[in-house]
Amino acid sequence: MFDTKEPITGIAPQLKAPTSVSTPRSLKSTQQTWERTFRGKAKGVTFQLRIIRKPNGELSARYQAIPGRGRGWHLEGQLFKDNTFVLRGTENNAEFQGRISPDGTILKSRFINNTHKGKFEVGNLRLSVIPVSTGEIIAKSSTSTIRNGDKEESGHLNRIDIPLNLANEINNVNYTPKSSEKKERHEVYFHIVNALQKLGVPYPELIAAQWATESSWGRLHSGKNNIFGIKEFDPDKPRTFVMTKEWDPKQSKTVDKSEPFADYNDSLDAFIARANFTFDNPRYRKAGYFESKTLKEAAYAIDRAGYANTGQPGKYAESLIDIMKGCGVDVEKQTSLINKETEKNDSDDQSNKNRTSNEGSPDQLDRLIGLTTYKKTYSIREINLARSMIGKMTSKRTQGDLFELLQTKVPYRNQRNNNSVGLQSDRWTYKGRDGKLHWVIYTGKPIGDIMCNLTSLTMVLETLGIQNPSDEQYEDFLERVRRENNLPPRTTQSGWAGIARQLKARETKHFYNYRGGYDKWSQDLLPRLREGQGIMMSLNGHIIRLQSVNQSGITVDDPYGRLPSLLAYNPNHVTASYSGNLNSTKKEEGVGEDVVFPWTQVSKFTFLWIAAFERN
């Protein structure tokens, strides 16, 4: 869940900060990874919010509202340089927006949740940090591991995070069938499945099958309240020695051995121990347990990890699969730990995937980030949230589909309303009707008409989720970055690529004199769009952003206006090529958004260059 390749947004340390923006007080800048639990009350509700912060500022959290669902709800979001944050629910419509105090001990937030009972809102929610040992996290229902850079840390269930009513419910169930009848055994099996689901533990049907095989359907407990056969090798902890059959590799056979099994205070402790057993032991991650998409895959993963020592690879998995099938469980069903509604759309066709909704219903990506209605254009925070969640998809195809959809939701930028004023070096030549070259001097004048490069770069940076760190228009800020860092002209590759580097983006590929049809574009450029890269390209002097590649043609965002025909573009008469379809100089919107060029035009046109970018 916490695995992301997104770096910190913003400008490089050597970049001079904008004079119009105060320097933010970055929260714990020298301690870039932390976990905290906050608690507070409002409107008769007790909130507990557990937040995990990544080095890039990305947040993942789980909150409980009491009264409310016992296992709580998961959230994803972002922490920003001024210590403000946004967290949105992946399982419900909850949203926290606010600020964390500079010392990280107080959180002030506005909380909103649209439930089936109506809208619940707290305008000024104050939560204070409570001491919780690192590694203890409220139960997760949609993930199992936390990744910190290249290191993965285990998730961990903590009893204090489980509401008393849920604890009592789990402990009041009898986990020993009344008889050996199939009906009685299956009744207890599904009691266990239900308890694990409420705790947010992955693969509950599989773990219940382990109960069946480890306890002989509840008749034999290996230790006090130990219904999952978990051993305890720490002599300082309560345990019971029990005779069991173990595979002896030296003798190449199963032998009887006395082994120590854990004793638990009650059933809840046994459930928590079983959840934490796979969370805390890295061999289950290495065996692919948490990446399994079906119960069958998870069974073989837990076998590979060595939960049971049978000496026969696959035998333990097959026994668990047989138990699940015998209980009527579909072991082939998709049970991936990511958003299941997203995965089931893996087979959506291209037209449905990139459709725009006229009915107002949310599309696949809207649902993923918790929106209840369709949204055509995302804010930078929503882009970052979407990128974060897409990065957690286990299916590469699903990732690609969602990144393609995200490309269509990047804000459109109009170059003609830019406010930058030209320097002595800002001039432009064109060929007049007399056949001669003419100079247009922009010294002291607005240079929006010749800022297609930085405006397209702005759209590329926002595709990557890199936020404008200033109060200026983004492209105007980029021009100031260029000037203050003495970078080459914005019209050159070293100029705009140098600016991108200042904003923590880098060019990954540069195609020169590019020409081809659908097959070539789908081979060279479509995969980069599906990886979430940002792409801009030159029409031989004029720069536009590539949005999509499909069998109909390419879709672009042109910051200057709408070019009626790609083949009609004339670098010597750029304005005339647009036949009057130019953007306004007064507003950000423009007619150059979502311009489609069919393959009959694209395949005959040579692009001077095409550049792809990703975040550092």
Side-chain angles (χ1 to χ4, degrees), residues 394-438:
T394 58
S395 166
K396 291 297 183 184
R397 179 178 175 182
T398 302
Q399 280 187 330
D401 290 349
L402 291 173
F403 270 131
E404 277 195 82
L405 188 53
L406 181 61
Q407 296 275 358
T408 70
K409 294 177 178 285
V410 173
Y412 173 75
R413 300 301 178 191
N414 172 11
Q415 72 179 83
R416 302 198 71 226
N417 72 334
N418 295 352
N419 297 315
S420 296
V421 175
L423 303 175
Q424 189 173 4
S425 58
D426 288 307
R427 53 187 64 198
W428 174 56
T429 61
Y430 70 95
K431 191 174 182 180
R433 294 183 179 180
D434 57 5
K436 298 179 180 180
L437 288 178
H438 297 265

mmCIF file of all heavy atoms in Angstrom, residues 394-438:
data_model
loop_
_atom_site.group_PDB
_atom_site.id
_atom_site.type_symbol
_atom_site.label_atom_id
_atom_site.label_comp_id
_atom_site.label_asym_id
_atom_site.label_seq_id
_atom_site.Cartn_x
_atom_site.Cartn_y
_atom_site.Cartn_z
ATOM 1 N N THR A 394 -1.483 -4.214 -8.430
ATOM 2 C CA THR A 394 -0.654 -5.389 -8.702
ATOM 3 C C THR A 394 -0.679 -5.780 -10.168
ATOM 4 O O THR A 394 0.195 -6.503 -10.638
ATOM 5 C CB THR A 394 -1.125 -6.586 -7.863
ATOM 6 O OG1 THR A 394 -2.504 -6.848 -8.151
ATOM 7 C CG2 THR A 394 -0.952 -6.300 -6.385
ATOM 8 N N SER A 395 -1.685 -5.322 -10.901
ATOM 9 C CA SER A 395 -1.801 -5.641 -12.321
ATOM 10 C C SER A 395 -1.201 -4.517 -13.160
ATOM 11 O O SER A 395 -1.628 -3.365 -13.073
ATOM 12 C CB SER A 395 -3.279 -5.830 -12.697
ATOM 13 O OG SER A 395 -3.442 -5.810 -14.092
ATOM 14 N N LYS A 396 -0.212 -4.843 -13.979
ATOM 15 C CA LYS A 396 0.397 -3.842 -14.852
ATOM 16 C C LYS A 396 -0.624 -3.302 -15.847
ATOM 17 O O LYS A 396 -0.583 -2.130 -16.220
ATOM 18 C CB LYS A 396 1.587 -4.447 -15.595
ATOM 19 C CG LYS A 396 2.776 -4.756 -14.702
ATOM 20 C CD LYS A 396 3.334 -3.483 -14.082
ATOM 21 C CE LYS A 396 4.568 -3.766 -13.244
ATOM 22 N NZ LYS A 396 5.066 -2.538 -12.565
ATOM 23 N N ARG A 397 -1.506 -4.153 -16.300
ATOM 24 C CA ARG A 397 -2.507 -3.688 -17.242
ATOM 25 C C ARG A 397 -3.440 -2.670 -16.589
ATOM 26 O O ARG A 397 -3.770 -1.643 -17.186
ATOM 27 C CB ARG A 397 -3.324 -4.865 -17.777
ATOM 28 C CG ARG A 397 -4.408 -4.426 -18.747
ATOM 29 C CD ARG A 397 -5.175 -5.588 -19.320
ATOM 30 N NE ARG A 397 -6.269 -5.123 -20.146
ATOM 31 C CZ ARG A 397 -7.141 -5.928 -20.741
ATOM 32 N NH1 ARG A 397 -7.032 -7.234 -20.597
ATOM 33 N NH2 ARG A 397 -8.117 -5.436 -21.471
ATOM 34 N N THR A 398 -3.862 -2.963 -15.369
ATOM 35 C CA THR A 398 -4.710 -2.010 -14.657
ATOM 36 C C THR A 398 -3.977 -0.698 -14.436
ATOM 37 O O THR A 398 -4.547 0.379 -14.597
ATOM 38 C CB THR A 398 -5.151 -2.600 -13.307
ATOM 39 O OG1 THR A 398 -5.850 -3.824 -13.543
ATOM 40 C CG2 THR A 398 -6.054 -1.643 -12.561
ATOM 41 N N GLN A 399 -2.703 -0.780 -14.052
ATOM 42 C CA GLN A 399 -1.910 0.436 -13.887
ATOM 43 C C GLN A 399 -1.907 1.254 -15.168
ATOM 44 O O GLN A 399 -2.121 2.467 -15.155
ATOM 45 C CB GLN A 399 -0.478 0.068 -13.507
ATOM 46 C CG GLN A 399 -0.258 -0.277 -12.065
ATOM 47 C CD GLN A 399 1.221 -0.452 -11.749
ATOM 48 O OE1 GLN A 399 2.009 -0.855 -12.597
ATOM 49 N NE2 GLN A 399 1.593 -0.137 -10.531
ATOM 50 N N GLY A 400 -1.634 0.591 -16.280
ATOM 51 C CA GLY A 400 -1.577 1.291 -17.559
ATOM 52 C C GLY A 400 -2.893 1.931 -17.927
ATOM 53 O O GLY A 400 -2.952 3.083 -18.384
ATOM 54 N N ASP A 401 -3.984 1.202 -17.729
ATOM 55 C CA ASP A 401 -5.305 1.743 -18.042
ATOM 56 C C ASP A 401 -5.596 2.992 -17.228
ATOM 57 O O ASP A 401 -6.117 3.992 -17.743
ATOM 58 C CB ASP A 401 -6.382 0.689 -17.771
ATOM 59 C CG ASP A 401 -6.348 -0.457 -18.765
ATOM 60 O OD1 ASP A 401 -5.631 -0.349 -19.784
ATOM 61 O OD2 ASP A 401 -7.026 -1.470 -18.528
ATOM 62 N N LEU A 402 -5.254 2.951 -15.941
ATOM 63 C CA LEU A 402 -5.548 4.083 -15.069
ATOM 64 C C LEU A 402 -4.637 5.270 -15.356
ATOM 65 O O LEU A 402 -5.070 6.421 -15.282
ATOM 66 C CB LEU A 402 -5.435 3.653 -13.612
ATOM 67 C CG LEU A 402 -6.514 2.675 -13.137
ATOM 68 C CD1 LEU A 402 -6.215 2.180 -11.735
ATOM 69 C CD2 LEU A 402 -7.893 3.317 -13.186
ATOM 70 N N PHE A 403 -3.378 5.004 -15.687
ATOM 71 C CA PHE A 403 -2.498 6.111 -16.056
ATOM 72 C C PHE A 403 -2.973 6.770 -17.358
ATOM 73 O O PHE A 403 -2.892 7.995 -17.507
ATOM 74 C CB PHE A 403 -1.056 5.636 -16.198
ATOM 75 C CG PHE A 403 -0.260 5.705 -14.936
ATOM 76 C CD1 PHE A 403 0.493 4.621 -14.500
ATOM 77 C CD2 PHE A 403 -0.246 6.865 -14.165
ATOM 78 C CE1 PHE A 403 1.235 4.687 -13.326
ATOM 79 C CE2 PHE A 403 0.490 6.939 -12.988
ATOM 80 C CZ PHE A 403 1.224 5.853 -12.573
ATOM 81 N N GLU A 404 -3.446 5.980 -18.306
ATOM 82 C CA GLU A 404 -3.997 6.563 -19.528
ATOM 83 C C GLU A 404 -5.185 7.456 -19.197
ATOM 84 O O GLU A 404 -5.345 8.540 -19.778
ATOM 85 C CB GLU A 404 -4.418 5.450 -20.493
ATOM 86 C CG GLU A 404 -3.299 4.888 -21.335
ATOM 87 C CD GLU A 404 -3.826 4.081 -22.499
ATOM 88 O OE1 GLU A 404 -4.193 4.682 -23.529
ATOM 89 O OE2 GLU A 404 -3.874 2.835 -22.376
ATOM 90 N N LEU A 405 -6.031 6.992 -18.307
ATOM 91 C CA LEU A 405 -7.188 7.791 -17.921
ATOM 92 C C LEU A 405 -6.762 9.058 -17.193
ATOM 93 O O LEU A 405 -7.327 10.142 -17.403
ATOM 94 C CB LEU A 405 -8.109 6.945 -17.036
ATOM 95 C CG LEU A 405 -9.479 7.530 -16.680
ATOM 96 C CD1 LEU A 405 -10.236 7.972 -17.918
ATOM 97 C CD2 LEU A 405 -10.287 6.513 -15.892
ATOM 98 N N LEU A 406 -5.734 8.937 -16.353
ATOM 99 C CA LEU A 406 -5.239 10.111 -15.636
ATOM 100 C C LEU A 406 -4.675 11.150 -16.593
ATOM 101 O O LEU A 406 -4.807 12.359 -16.353
ATOM 102 C CB LEU A 406 -4.170 9.687 -14.622
ATOM 103 C CG LEU A 406 -3.566 10.798 -13.754
ATOM 104 C CD1 LEU A 406 -4.640 11.469 -12.908
ATOM 105 C CD2 LEU A 406 -2.459 10.246 -12.862
ATOM 106 N N GLN A 407 -4.052 10.713 -17.688
ATOM 107 C CA GLN A 407 -3.515 11.655 -18.678
ATOM 108 C C GLN A 407 -4.597 12.602 -19.179
ATOM 109 O O GLN A 407 -4.335 13.757 -19.488
ATOM 110 C CB GLN A 407 -2.910 10.892 -19.860
ATOM 111 C CG GLN A 407 -1.711 10.015 -19.535
ATOM 112 C CD GLN A 407 -0.394 10.754 -19.534
ATOM 113 O OE1 GLN A 407 -0.337 11.953 -19.813
ATOM 114 N NE2 GLN A 407 0.682 10.053 -19.216
ATOM 115 N N THR A 408 -5.833 12.112 -19.254
ATOM 116 C CA THR A 408 -6.928 12.937 -19.779
ATOM 117 C C THR A 408 -7.441 13.931 -18.753
ATOM 118 O O THR A 408 -8.198 14.843 -19.105
ATOM 119 C CB THR A 408 -8.101 12.053 -20.244
ATOM 120 O OG1 THR A 408 -8.748 11.459 -19.104
ATOM 121 C CG2 THR A 408 -7.618 10.956 -21.180
ATOM 122 N N LYS A 409 -7.051 13.776 -17.481
ATOM 123 C CA LYS A 409 -7.576 14.618 -16.413
ATOM 124 C C LYS A 409 -6.591 15.699 -15.960
ATOM 125 O O LYS A 409 -6.852 16.403 -14.989
ATOM 126 C CB LYS A 409 -7.980 13.742 -15.216
ATOM 127 C CG LYS A 409 -9.163 12.811 -15.515
ATOM 128 C CD LYS A 409 -9.467 11.913 -14.337
ATOM 129 C CE LYS A 409 -10.661 11.034 -14.609
ATOM 130 N NZ LYS A 409 -11.951 11.768 -14.544
ATOM 131 N N VAL A 410 -5.450 15.790 -16.641
ATOM 132 C CA VAL A 410 -4.455 16.808 -16.303
ATOM 133 C C VAL A 410 -4.987 18.179 -16.721
ATOM 134 O O VAL A 410 -5.539 18.327 -17.817
ATOM 135 C CB VAL A 410 -3.122 16.506 -17.017
ATOM 136 C CG1 VAL A 410 -2.128 17.636 -16.817
ATOM 137 C CG2 VAL A 410 -2.550 15.180 -16.510
ATOM 138 N N PRO A 411 -4.838 19.198 -15.884
ATOM 139 C CA PRO A 411 -5.360 20.530 -16.236
ATOM 140 C C PRO A 411 -4.758 21.062 -17.534
ATOM 141 O O PRO A 411 -3.561 20.898 -17.797
ATOM 142 C CB PRO A 411 -4.930 21.400 -15.047
ATOM 143 C CG PRO A 411 -4.736 20.440 -13.920
ATOM 144 C CD PRO A 411 -4.240 19.180 -14.538
ATOM 145 N N TYR A 412 -5.594 21.694 -18.334
ATOM 146 C CA TYR A 412 -5.137 22.324 -19.571
ATOM 147 C C TYR A 412 -4.583 23.713 -19.245
ATOM 148 O O TYR A 412 -5.134 24.437 -18.412
ATOM 149 C CB TYR A 412 -6.305 22.445 -20.551
ATOM 150 C CG TYR A 412 -5.972 23.233 -21.790
ATOM 151 C CD1 TYR A 412 -5.198 22.681 -22.800
ATOM 152 C CD2 TYR A 412 -6.425 24.543 -21.938
ATOM 153 C CE1 TYR A 412 -4.879 23.407 -23.932
ATOM 154 C CE2 TYR A 412 -6.110 25.280 -23.073
ATOM 155 C CZ TYR A 412 -5.338 24.706 -24.067
ATOM 156 O OH TYR A 412 -5.025 25.434 -25.194
ATOM 157 N N ARG A 413 -3.489 24.090 -19.926
ATOM 158 C CA ARG A 413 -2.872 25.395 -19.703
ATOM 159 C C ARG A 413 -2.798 26.189 -21.002
ATOM 160 O O ARG A 413 -2.423 25.664 -22.045
ATOM 161 C CB ARG A 413 -1.463 25.237 -19.111
ATOM 162 C CG ARG A 413 -1.426 24.514 -17.764
ATOM 163 C CD ARG A 413 -2.256 25.213 -16.720
ATOM 164 N NE ARG A 413 -2.253 24.504 -15.439
ATOM 165 C CZ ARG A 413 -3.074 24.795 -14.435
ATOM 166 N NH1 ARG A 413 -3.958 25.774 -14.567
ATOM 167 N NH2 ARG A 413 -3.022 24.114 -13.307
ATOM 168 N N ASN A 414 -3.146 27.451 -20.901
ATOM 169 C CA ASN A 414 -3.192 28.375 -22.039
ATOM 170 C C ASN A 414 -1.964 29.281 -21.987
ATOM 171 O O ASN A 414 -1.759 30.015 -21.025
ATOM 172 C CB ASN A 414 -4.482 29.190 -21.958
ATOM 173 C CG ASN A 414 -4.545 30.319 -22.974
ATOM 174 O OD1 ASN A 414 -3.725 30.409 -23.889
ATOM 175 N ND2 ASN A 414 -5.526 31.195 -22.813
ATOM 176 N N GLN A 415 -1.138 29.250 -23.010
ATOM 177 C CA GLN A 415 0.064 30.072 -23.013
ATOM 178 C C GLN A 415 -0.225 31.544 -23.231
ATOM 179 O O GLN A 415 0.547 32.410 -22.800
ATOM 180 C CB GLN A 415 1.022 29.583 -24.105
ATOM 181 C CG GLN A 415 0.576 29.909 -25.530
ATOM 182 C CD GLN A 415 1.547 29.441 -26.585
ATOM 183 O OE1 GLN A 415 1.499 28.282 -26.970
ATOM 184 N NE2 GLN A 415 2.415 30.327 -27.046
ATOM 185 N N ARG A 416 -1.326 31.854 -23.878
ATOM 186 C CA ARG A 416 -1.548 33.236 -24.330
ATOM 187 C C ARG A 416 -1.941 34.179 -23.202
ATOM 188 O O ARG A 416 -1.945 35.399 -23.393
ATOM 189 C CB ARG A 416 -2.602 33.264 -25.442
ATOM 190 C CG ARG A 416 -2.232 32.415 -26.646
ATOM 191 C CD ARG A 416 -3.034 32.778 -27.879
ATOM 192 N NE ARG A 416 -2.635 34.069 -28.418
ATOM 193 C CZ ARG A 416 -3.486 35.017 -28.789
ATOM 194 N NH1 ARG A 416 -4.799 34.847 -28.636
ATOM 195 N NH2 ARG A 416 -3.048 36.150 -29.283
ATOM 196 N N ASN A 417 -2.262 33.649 -22.036
ATOM 197 C CA ASN A 417 -2.577 34.541 -20.902
ATOM 198 C C ASN A 417 -1.429 34.619 -19.902
ATOM 199 O O ASN A 417 -1.602 35.108 -18.785
ATOM 200 C CB ASN A 417 -3.848 34.075 -20.194
ATOM 201 C CG ASN A 417 -3.633 32.798 -19.380
ATOM 202 O OD1 ASN A 417 -2.744 32.006 -19.698
ATOM 203 N ND2 ASN A 417 -4.456 32.582 -18.369
ATOM 204 N N ASN A 418 -0.248 34.152 -20.297
ATOM 205 C CA ASN A 418 0.909 34.236 -19.412
ATOM 206 C C ASN A 418 1.300 35.690 -19.160
ATOM 207 O O ASN A 418 1.073 36.562 -20.015
ATOM 208 C CB ASN A 418 2.096 33.477 -20.005
ATOM 209 C CG ASN A 418 1.826 31.985 -20.097
ATOM 210 O OD1 ASN A 418 0.826 31.495 -19.596
ATOM 211 N ND2 ASN A 418 2.718 31.271 -20.751
ATOM 212 N N ASN A 419 1.924 35.940 -18.014
ATOM 213 C CA ASN A 419 2.224 37.316 -17.602
ATOM 214 C C ASN A 419 3.694 37.690 -17.716
ATOM 215 O O ASN A 419 4.057 38.837 -17.432
ATOM 216 C CB ASN A 419 1.772 37.522 -16.146
ATOM 217 C CG ASN A 419 0.270 37.369 -15.992
ATOM 218 O OD1 ASN A 419 -0.498 37.899 -16.796
ATOM 219 N ND2 ASN A 419 -0.157 36.646 -14.963
ATOM 220 N N SER A 420 4.539 36.740 -18.087
ATOM 221 C CA SER A 420 5.971 37.051 -18.177
ATOM 222 C C SER A 420 6.223 38.144 -19.204
ATOM 223 O O SER A 420 5.588 38.181 -20.272
ATOM 224 C CB SER A 420 6.755 35.795 -18.562
ATOM 225 O OG SER A 420 6.660 34.817 -17.554
ATOM 226 N N VAL A 421 7.174 39.027 -18.869
ATOM 227 C CA VAL A 421 7.527 40.141 -19.750
ATOM 228 C C VAL A 421 8.880 39.856 -20.391
ATOM 229 O O VAL A 421 9.805 39.358 -19.734
ATOM 230 C CB VAL A 421 7.576 41.469 -18.963
ATOM 231 C CG1 VAL A 421 8.066 42.610 -19.842
ATOM 232 C CG2 VAL A 421 6.197 41.779 -18.399
ATOM 233 N N GLY A 422 9.003 40.154 -21.670
ATOM 234 C CA GLY A 422 10.182 39.799 -22.433
ATOM 235 C C GLY A 422 11.436 40.564 -22.064
ATOM 236 O O GLY A 422 11.381 41.722 -21.641
ATOM 237 N N LEU A 423 12.563 39.888 -22.246
ATOM 238 C CA LEU A 423 13.869 40.513 -22.111
ATOM 239 C C LEU A 423 14.361 40.925 -23.495
ATOM 240 O O LEU A 423 13.690 40.715 -24.506
ATOM 241 C CB LEU A 423 14.848 39.530 -21.464
ATOM 242 C CG LEU A 423 14.457 38.959 -20.094
ATOM 243 C CD1 LEU A 423 15.477 37.922 -19.653
ATOM 244 C CD2 LEU A 423 14.329 40.072 -19.054
ATOM 245 N N GLN A 424 15.539 41.484 -23.539
ATOM 246 C CA GLN A 424 16.081 41.914 -24.823
ATOM 247 C C GLN A 424 16.279 40.734 -25.784
ATOM 248 O O GLN A 424 16.192 40.872 -26.996
ATOM 249 C CB GLN A 424 17.412 42.639 -24.597
ATOM 250 C CG GLN A 424 17.950 43.321 -25.852
ATOM 251 C CD GLN A 424 19.178 44.172 -25.551
ATOM 252 O OE1 GLN A 424 19.656 44.181 -24.424
ATOM 253 N NE2 GLN A 424 19.670 44.896 -26.538
ATOM 254 N N SER A 425 16.501 39.560 -25.197
ATOM 255 C CA SER A 425 16.739 38.378 -26.029
ATOM 256 C C SER A 425 15.455 37.745 -26.558
ATOM 257 O O SER A 425 15.519 36.825 -27.373
ATOM 258 C CB SER A 425 17.501 37.330 -25.210
ATOM 259 O OG SER A 425 16.779 36.985 -24.034
ATOM 260 N N ASP A 426 14.303 38.219 -26.087
ATOM 261 C CA ASP A 426 13.044 37.606 -26.502
ATOM 262 C C ASP A 426 12.558 38.221 -27.806
ATOM 263 O O ASP A 426 12.036 39.341 -27.853
ATOM 264 C CB ASP A 426 11.985 37.792 -25.400
ATOM 265 C CG ASP A 426 12.270 36.927 -24.198
ATOM 266 O OD1 ASP A 426 12.438 35.706 -24.376
ATOM 267 O OD2 ASP A 426 12.329 37.463 -23.074
ATOM 268 N N ARG A 427 12.740 37.474 -28.854
ATOM 269 C CA ARG A 427 12.313 37.915 -30.180
ATOM 270 C C ARG A 427 11.947 36.687 -30.998
ATOM 271 O O ARG A 427 12.312 35.576 -30.689
ATOM 272 C CB ARG A 427 13.408 38.720 -30.865
ATOM 273 C CG ARG A 427 14.761 38.018 -30.936
ATOM 274 C CD ARG A 427 15.830 38.951 -31.478
ATOM 275 N NE ARG A 427 16.048 40.083 -30.578
ATOM 276 C CZ ARG A 427 16.649 41.212 -30.942
ATOM 277 N NH1 ARG A 427 17.100 41.346 -32.181
ATOM 278 N NH2 ARG A 427 16.826 42.188 -30.093
ATOM 279 N N TRP A 428 11.216 36.927 -32.043
ATOM 280 C CA TRP A 428 10.697 35.823 -32.843
ATOM 281 C C TRP A 428 10.703 36.245 -34.312
ATOM 282 O O TRP A 428 10.415 37.403 -34.636
ATOM 283 C CB TRP A 428 9.280 35.484 -32.368
ATOM 284 C CG TRP A 428 8.572 34.456 -33.191
ATOM 285 C CD1 TRP A 428 8.991 33.204 -33.481
ATOM 286 C CD2 TRP A 428 7.304 34.615 -33.824
ATOM 287 N NE1 TRP A 428 8.065 32.551 -34.254
ATOM 288 C CE2 TRP A 428 7.013 33.401 -34.477
ATOM 289 C CE3 TRP A 428 6.375 35.663 -33.909
ATOM 290 C CZ2 TRP A 428 5.849 33.197 -35.209
ATOM 291 C CZ3 TRP A 428 5.208 35.446 -34.623
ATOM 292 C CH2 TRP A 428 4.953 34.239 -35.261
ATOM 293 N N THR A 429 11.050 35.307 -35.149
ATOM 294 C CA THR A 429 11.062 35.616 -36.578
ATOM 295 C C THR A 429 9.970 34.843 -37.301
ATOM 296 O O THR A 429 9.586 33.751 -36.882
ATOM 297 C CB THR A 429 12.412 35.242 -37.199
ATOM 298 O OG1 THR A 429 12.630 33.840 -37.055
ATOM 299 C CG2 THR A 429 13.547 36.003 -36.551
ATOM 300 N N TYR A 430 9.472 35.431 -38.353
ATOM 301 C CA TYR A 430 8.512 34.740 -39.217
ATOM 302 C C TYR A 430 8.736 35.201 -40.652
ATOM 303 O O TYR A 430 9.312 36.267 -40.910
ATOM 304 C CB TYR A 430 7.081 35.028 -38.774
ATOM 305 C CG TYR A 430 6.623 36.450 -39.028
ATOM 306 C CD1 TYR A 430 5.914 36.788 -40.188
ATOM 307 C CD2 TYR A 430 6.905 37.464 -38.114
ATOM 308 C CE1 TYR A 430 5.504 38.088 -40.426
ATOM 309 C CE2 TYR A 430 6.508 38.759 -38.337
ATOM 310 C CZ TYR A 430 5.795 39.063 -39.500
ATOM 311 O OH TYR A 430 5.394 40.361 -39.746
ATOM 312 N N LYS A 431 8.294 34.379 -41.556
ATOM 313 C CA LYS A 431 8.435 34.688 -42.969
ATOM 314 C C LYS A 431 7.168 35.373 -43.463
ATOM 315 O O LYS A 431 6.079 34.816 -43.384
ATOM 316 C CB LYS A 431 8.694 33.401 -43.767
ATOM 317 C CG LYS A 431 9.117 33.633 -45.195
ATOM 318 C CD LYS A 431 9.480 32.313 -45.859
ATOM 319 C CE LYS A 431 9.968 32.522 -47.280
ATOM 320 N NZ LYS A 431 10.332 31.223 -47.927
ATOM 321 N N GLY A 432 7.312 36.596 -43.937
ATOM 322 C CA GLY A 432 6.159 37.351 -44.391
ATOM 323 C C GLY A 432 5.718 36.972 -45.801
ATOM 324 O O GLY A 432 6.352 36.166 -46.487
ATOM 325 N N ARG A 433 4.648 37.545 -46.216
ATOM 326 C CA ARG A 433 4.133 37.272 -47.569
ATOM 327 C C ARG A 433 5.082 37.765 -48.648
ATOM 328 O O ARG A 433 5.013 37.325 -49.801
ATOM 329 C CB ARG A 433 2.764 37.941 -47.731
ATOM 330 C CG ARG A 433 1.689 37.338 -46.835
ATOM 331 C CD ARG A 433 0.336 37.989 -47.075
ATOM 332 N NE ARG A 433 -0.688 37.391 -46.226
ATOM 333 C CZ ARG A 433 -1.969 37.776 -46.225
ATOM 334 N NH1 ARG A 433 -2.347 38.784 -47.035
ATOM 335 N NH2 ARG A 433 -2.823 37.191 -45.443
ATOM 336 N N ASP A 434 5.967 38.683 -48.236
ATOM 337 C CA ASP A 434 6.967 39.167 -49.194
ATOM 338 C C ASP A 434 8.131 38.196 -49.331
ATOM 339 O O ASP A 434 9.088 38.464 -50.066
ATOM 340 C CB ASP A 434 7.473 40.556 -48.783
ATOM 341 C CG ASP A 434 8.048 40.548 -47.357
ATOM 342 O OD1 ASP A 434 8.140 39.458 -46.745
ATOM 343 O OD2 ASP A 434 8.394 41.628 -46.861
ATOM 344 N N GLY A 435 8.070 37.084 -48.594
ATOM 345 C CA GLY A 435 9.135 36.087 -48.683
ATOM 346 C C GLY A 435 10.332 36.389 -47.814
ATOM 347 O O GLY A 435 11.304 35.614 -47.805
ATOM 348 N N LYS A 436 10.290 37.475 -47.072
ATOM 349 C CA LYS A 436 11.421 37.865 -46.233
ATOM 350 C C LYS A 436 11.143 37.526 -44.759
ATOM 351 O O LYS A 436 9.987 37.422 -44.339
ATOM 352 C CB LYS A 436 11.690 39.366 -46.363
ATOM 353 C CG LYS A 436 12.071 39.799 -47.765
ATOM 354 C CD LYS A 436 12.304 41.307 -47.814
ATOM 355 C CE LYS A 436 12.694 41.756 -49.226
ATOM 356 N NZ LYS A 436 12.926 43.223 -49.278
ATOM 357 N N LEU A 437 12.244 37.345 -43.975
ATOM 358 C CA LEU A 437 12.115 37.094 -42.554
ATOM 359 C C LEU A 437 11.888 38.408 -41.819
ATOM 360 O O LEU A 437 12.568 39.406 -42.072
ATOM 361 C CB LEU A 437 13.370 36.406 -42.011
ATOM 362 C CG LEU A 437 13.575 34.940 -42.423
ATOM 363 C CD1 LEU A 437 14.888 34.415 -41.852
ATOM 364 C CD2 LEU A 437 12.421 34.072 -41.954
ATOM 365 N N HIS A 438 10.968 38.401 -40.881
ATOM 366 C CA HIS A 438 10.653 39.590 -40.092
ATOM 367 C C HIS A 438 10.826 39.270 -38.610
ATOM 368 O O HIS A 438 10.545 38.175 -38.153
ATOM 369 C CB HIS A 438 9.217 40.036 -40.364
ATOM 370 C CG HIS A 438 8.980 40.449 -41.778
ATOM 371 N ND1 HIS A 438 9.042 41.775 -42.200
ATOM 372 C CD2 HIS A 438 8.706 39.716 -42.892
ATOM 373 C CE1 HIS A 438 8.792 41.843 -43.494
ATOM 374 N NE2 HIS A 438 8.589 40.588 -43.942
#
